[in-house]
Amino acid sequence: MSLRIVVTVKYVPDATGDRHFADDLTVDRDDVDGLLSELDEYAVEQALQISENSDDDVEITVLTVGPEDAKDALRKALSMGADKAIHVEDDDLHGTDAIGTSLVLAKAIEKAGYDLVISGMASTDGTMGVVPALLAERLGVPQVTLLSEVSVEDGTVKGRRDGDAASEQLEASLPAVVSVTDQSGEARYPSFKGIMAAKKKPVQSWDLSDLDIDEDEVGLENAYTTVVSAAERPARTAGTIVKDEGEGGKQLAEFLASQKFV
């Protein structure tokens, strides 16, 4: 038996960098360093754990849609232990929203072949968290999302979803799409051996024509969602200093009331 796992990952701007919008109100990715989305590292980790705990032959493919530099995210996932990678890159993808991205990912997943798709709970830039559900709909398979624990056995994926008041035990027959949270297990650090091995692992490059997708199905002009306006975050101002001369508590209460905090 063999199990084909596809992990969707995203190359995102470094949250510690100075991020801003370009003239077309898309994120300016040229002015800030990028990296593998931290939440997607948990998805890679869960795929690796499934492989390590399985008696079947497991092949892990990492898939991303993005610019040339997105290969850095793939290399990080490969150095963690994934087997191969697919990079979908096309100039016409610029400005594609989550709905368009789900189309591209679904076409690539179908072309690659899969039994299980694993995603992070959301990307650390857009934080929409809708792509796993959109993928399941496009692929016509069950979705089991927001899992803090996941396993695969006898053609079934099982997992635990933790809520505020209760935990649910969920399962679905393969093929299926799952997403995992940042509570699913700390992602491993790539070893030196893994980093060196990643340089020799295959990375396929596909464009829209390889996936039979027309340019009018993706891109900024064809997006279902768009940014209408954006403004720079205002600079932080100095806080109000209250010297407590016996009335400090009263002044604090008045301040909180004026800000409608109490």
Side-chain angles (χ1 to χ4, degrees):
M1 294 282 295
S2 62
L3 177 65
R4 300 165 299 173
I5 301 177
V6 177
V7 184
T8 61
V9 300
K10 189 175 183 182
Y11 180 74
V12 299
D14 188 343
T16 64
D18 184 17
R19 297 167 295 168
H20 57 274
F21 287 105
D23 292 339
D24 61 359
L25 294 180
T26 61
V27 177
D28 189 342
R29 299 180 182 274
D30 294 330
D31 259 5
V32 63
D33 292 333
L35 71 171
L36 171 63
S37 176
E38 180 182 356
L39 292 174
D40 291 340
E41 292 185 17
Y42 296 98
V44 177
E45 176 62 32
Q46 289 308 303
L48 294 171
Q49 290 193 26
I50 290 171
S51 177
E52 292 167 354
N53 295 324
S54 176
D55 295 328
D56 300 330
D57 293 328
V58 180
E59 180 182 67
I60 300 173
T61 302
V62 284
L63 165 66
T64 195
V65 177
E68 173 66 24
D69 289 344
K71 283 188 172 68
D72 292 344
L74 295 177
R75 289 297 180 194
K76 172 70 178 293
L78 291 173
S79 67
M80 291 172 66
D83 299 303
K84 61 181 183 178
I86 298 171
H87 179 205
V88 181
E89 179 188 11
D90 198 298
D91 290 342
D92 289 324
L93 285 168
H94 174 73
T96 301
D97 64 358
I99 295 176
T101 298
S102 72
L103 170 65
V104 178
L105 288 172
K107 292 281 191 179
I109 290 167
E110 289 177 328
K111 183 179 175 70
Y114 74 102
D115 298 297
L116 177 65
V117 179
I118 305 179
S119 300
M121 61 187 290
S123 63
T124 53
D125 55 353
T127 64
M128 294 185 69
V130 298
V131 168
L134 292 171
L135 268 180
E137 176 67 20
R138 290 191 183 277
L139 294 170
V141 300
Q143 58 168 307
V144 187
T145 55
L146 301 176
L147 300 181
S148 54
E149 183 180 275
V150 61
S151 63
V152 175
E153 185 178 353
D154 298 329
T156 300
V157 58
K158 301 179 180 180
R160 188 185 77 242
R161 178 190 293 155
D162 295 324
D164 292 336
S167 294
E168 301 173 287
Q169 295 292 335
L170 306 170
E171 64 178 60
S173 58
L174 299 179
V177 174
V178 305
S179 69
V180 298
T181 72
D182 54 357
Q183 302 301 308
S184 58
E186 197 68 30
R188 68 193 66 187
Y189 288 102
S191 64
F192 177 75
K193 181 180 179 181
I195 293 171
M196 298 305 295
K199 296 179 179 180
K200 298 180 180 179
K201 293 179 179 178
V203 178
Q204 289 183 283
S205 294
W206 293 342
D207 59 18
L208 292 179
S209 63
D210 292 316
L211 303 176
D212 295 323
I213 297 175
D214 295 329
E215 62 182 45
D216 60 1
E217 296 180 270
V218 295
L220 184 60
E221 293 184 0
N222 303 297
Y224 285 81
T225 58
T226 185
V227 177
V228 176
S229 64
E232 291 278 348
R233 178 185 296 175
R236 293 186 64 177
T237 57
T240 301
I241 298 176
V242 176
K243 293 183 178 180
D244 188 2
E245 297 177 351
E247 295 289 325
K250 180 181 179 181
Q251 292 180 61
L252 175 60
E254 290 174 347
F255 172 78
L256 293 174
S258 69
Q259 301 297 314
K260 298 183 178 180
F261 291 143
V262 294

